[in-house]
Amino acid sequence: MNKFFISAASMVVMTFSSKAQKIDFTEYTLPNGLHVILHQDGSNPLVAVSVLYHLGGKNETLGRSGFAHFFEHLMFEGSYNIGRGEFSKYINDNGGTLNAYTTSDDTNYLEFLPSNQLRLALWLESERMMHAKVDQKGIDTQREVVKEEKRLYIDNRPYMTAISKEIPALLFKKHPYRFPVIGAIEDLNAVAEADYQFFYKTFYVPNNATLSIAGDIDLEKTKKWINAYFGPIPKSTQPIPRPNAKEDPITQEIYATYEDKNAQVPAVVLAYRAPKKTDKDTYVLKIIDNVLSKGESSRITRNVINKKQLASHAGSFLQDLEDYGIFIIYAVANSDSDVTLDDITQAIDEEIEALKKDSIIQSELEKQINNLENSLIYANASMIGIARTLAKYHVYHGNTDLINTVLEKYRRITVEDIKQVANKYLNKTQRVRLYNLSKKS
């Protein structure tokens, strides 16, 4: 259930303009530690509810990879007051949609429904937090669901195992980021009821959660309902465990190969360890990501794909995480030529070195900042998007108002910053070079 959704109803509240509008909000914390963020928008009689738990793949231990994601599935099995399968039925029968997803850092539960059903969503989420009940039948059922999800989206898709499993394990030796979020089959088979009880009591507590609501709400009524449904839930008296593993610097290129049974064409993946998401350099890397591979005029697209015709597909992305980040550049070989993965790697390295030497010109930087502004506007163009963004800025940055001010961080970036950050992180001696080999290789 970790696929994001856009329903027909949610399209109603999507608005897009060339200039971001200020998003007003109210936030406070209940005595039990639950942080609450409320955004009022009466444009349409709809409301989005997000409950973000500050736990994800990084809260797992060796032998229990994938448990946070598995647990997300278990949390739809019901409670002492909600029968198996009824959680979704309550929302669907009242004109709403729901979803959930797990990342390396968090687990997020989402409902989108008519605003006159807000109390229903609050009751359901309070039940999830206070009275979740999973028996062995539920564990066995969801174990098979997760296994099928893993087979469908990871095991049987080309290049996905390399990206989601092999690369993290090579980049990280100490930190739990080395575990794939979806987990390993043998670990899923080992999950027992005792694991569930420990995980639930440790992490599904109000002082490890953020409740964010956006839409057509009455602020005072909403506060009363929140207090009624969530106020009685006791906070954890124990500190929430957080990983604090520190990685040794990578000082020599890590080269590896992976034989991919699903890949018909080989590919190269270059992965660099990046700073945590709150670091200034992370904002610079997002611009570098765009410069390298976003759009027809980007460096890799223009030169590696179109001009030299070495790759049929290529790109980059930054996975910005709480403790470290992962910056990945990838390219799938052009099957119509005799190109080698070494050829592709050399061509990509030429683009990186040019960026490190000459940076970019001011007009290119301004273009990328404008593109990022449009992306930020689009991300907050729905009530679901606003609810999610408000929660994440609170949890990871300790500043919910970044939803209104984050663009200023990008506007302060200079062409010299681009050059310095590229030289700091995008070095051959600080990366993993993985050749994803096809069955034909």
Side-chain angles (χ1 to χ4, degrees):
M1 199 173 287
N2 61 345
K3 305 293 175 291
F4 193 63
F5 65 90
I6 299 180
S7 69
S10 68
M11 293 299 290
V12 175
V13 295
M14 294 187 75
T15 58
F16 189 80
S17 67
S18 60
K19 187 175 182 180
Q21 302 296 313
K22 186 177 188 299
I23 296 173
D24 295 318
F25 60 90
T26 299
E27 64 179 329
Y28 60 96
T29 303
L30 295 182
N32 61 9
L34 177 68
H35 194 76
V36 179
I37 309 171
L38 306 176
H39 167 66
Q40 186 180 44
D41 184 329
S43 302
N44 293 282
L46 299 162
V47 66
V49 177
S50 162
V51 179
L52 186 149
Y53 291 91
H54 193 181
L55 76 115
K58 74 168 183 288
N59 297 102
E60 297 165 352
T61 57
L62 185 65
R64 287 297 182 268
S65 69
F67 191 65
H69 172 249
F70 179 47
F71 201 85
E72 170 213 314
H73 283 258
L74 290 179
M75 292 298 280
F76 284 91
E77 280 293 307
S79 73
Y80 286 98
N81 299 307
I82 301 172
R84 179 176 287 111
E86 291 184 2
F87 200 107
S88 299
K89 189 174 187 299
Y90 274 115
I91 296 294
N92 295 334
D93 287 353
N94 286 279
T97 55
L98 78 167
N99 198 26
Y101 64 85
T102 305
T103 73
S104 295
D105 291 324
D106 58 54
T107 303
N108 203 177
Y109 298 92
L110 303 155
E111 288 89 30
F112 186 74
L113 65 174
S115 54
N116 62 1
Q117 296 299 323
L118 173 59
R119 291 187 69 178
L120 171 65
L122 295 176
W123 172 65
L124 290 170
E125 289 299 341
S126 67
E127 282 290 308
R128 197 197 308 270
M129 188 181 293
M130 189 174 188
H131 294 305
K133 182 180 181 181
V134 176
D135 53 23
Q136 192 60 47
K137 180 179 180 180
I139 292 173
D140 294 339
T141 299
Q142 293 304 325
R143 179 187 287 119
E144 295 309 309
V145 171
V146 174
K147 285 182 181 179
E148 180 59 27
E149 184 177 315
K150 183 177 185 296
R151 284 189 288 265
L152 181 63
Y153 294 106
I154 303 294
D155 297 344
N156 294 323
R157 292 181 65 185
Y159 316 115
M160 288 303 296
T161 297
I163 296 290
S164 66
K165 179 183 177 183
E166 300 298 319
I167 288 293
L170 291 166
L171 273 181
F172 300 102
K173 301 303 179 184
K174 301 177 182 179
H175 198 283
Y177 284 155
R178 68 187 187 274
F179 303 135
V181 173
I182 202 164
I185 294 296
E186 57 269 25
D187 291 350
L188 296 176
N189 287 335
V191 172
E193 190 170 346
D195 298 307
Y196 159 77
Q197 294 293 341
F198 171 80
F199 212 77
Y200 185 61
K201 292 177 181 178
T202 302
F203 296 108
Y204 278 77
V205 291
N207 46 314
N208 194 43
T210 298
L211 170 64
S212 182
I213 303 173
D216 183 25
I217 60 175
D218 180 298
L219 288 176
E220 294 308 312
K221 282 185 179 180
T222 301
K223 290 178 182 179
K224 290 180 181 178
W225 294 339
I226 290 171
N227 188 62
Y229 287 115
F230 291 92
I233 304 176
K235 70 183 298 182
S236 172
T237 57
Q238 301 297 321
I240 307 299
R242 309 282 184 210
N244 59 3
K246 303 298 181 184
E247 292 287 338
D248 297 325
I250 298 174
T251 58
Q252 183 175 352
E253 183 182 58
I254 301 170
Y255 170 73
T257 61
Y258 173 71
E259 187 172 341
D260 191 336
K261 64 182 178 65
N262 301 303
Q264 298 301 309
V265 181
V268 58
V269 182
L270 306 176
Y272 306 80
R273 197 185 295 159
K276 60 185 179 181
K277 67 167 59 193
T278 57
D279 195 296
K280 175 190 173 183
D281 290 348
T282 295
Y283 295 91
V284 181
L285 281 168
K286 288 181 181 179
I287 292 182
I288 291 175
D289 175 26
N290 285 2
V291 169
L292 285 176
S293 72
K294 302 302 185 291
E296 287 300 311
S297 63
S298 62
R299 308 293 178 87
I300 292 176
T301 302
R302 184 177 67 231
N303 296 322
V304 180
I305 297 179
N306 295 332
K307 183 179 179 180
K308 298 179 181 177
Q309 296 188 351
L310 297 174
S312 59
H313 305 282
S316 61
F317 61 89
L318 173 65
Q319 188 178 5
D320 56 331
L321 301 171
E322 185 174 19
D323 298 335
Y324 292 95
I326 301 175
F327 190 87
I328 286 180
I329 304 172
Y330 64 91
V332 178
N334 187 344
S335 59
D336 295 330
S337 68
D338 295 327
V339 62
T340 68
L341 296 183
D342 286 340
D343 294 333
I344 298 175
T345 301
Q346 180 179 341
I348 292 174
D349 283 340
E350 288 173 0
E351 300 305 321
I352 295 172
E353 291 306 314
L355 188 66
K356 291 164 64 176
K357 179 182 178 182
D358 301 321
S359 188
I360 60 177
I361 60 176
Q362 184 63 33
S363 60
E364 189 175 8
L365 175 60
E366 292 171 358
K367 173 185 174 182
Q368 296 303 336
I369 292 174
N370 289 336
N371 289 339
L372 281 165
E373 181 177 14
N374 288 335
S375 297
L376 292 168
I377 293 171
Y378 186 79
N380 298 326
S382 69
M383 293 302 105
I384 283 286
I386 290 173
R388 294 171 68 214
T389 303
L390 287 168
K392 287 183 179 294
Y393 281 143
H394 161 70
V395 170
Y396 297 115
H397 298 264
N399 180 10
T400 312
D401 197 48
L402 269 180
I403 198 170
N404 295 311
T405 62
V406 69
L407 187 60
E408 295 305 315
K409 291 183 176 290
Y410 291 108
R411 287 178 174 153
R412 288 194 290 268
I413 293 172
T414 67
V415 293
E416 185 60 28
D417 290 330
I418 301 295
K419 183 176 181 179
Q420 289 180 357
V421 169
N423 277 279
K424 184 176 181 180
Y425 297 100
L426 303 185
N427 298 305
K428 296 178 184 179
T429 56
Q430 296 172 256
R431 74 183 182 191
V432 170
R433 174 165 55 101
L434 176 68
Y435 284 177
N436 190 99
L437 305 177
S438 67
K439 294 172 64 177
K440 296 180 181 180
S441 297

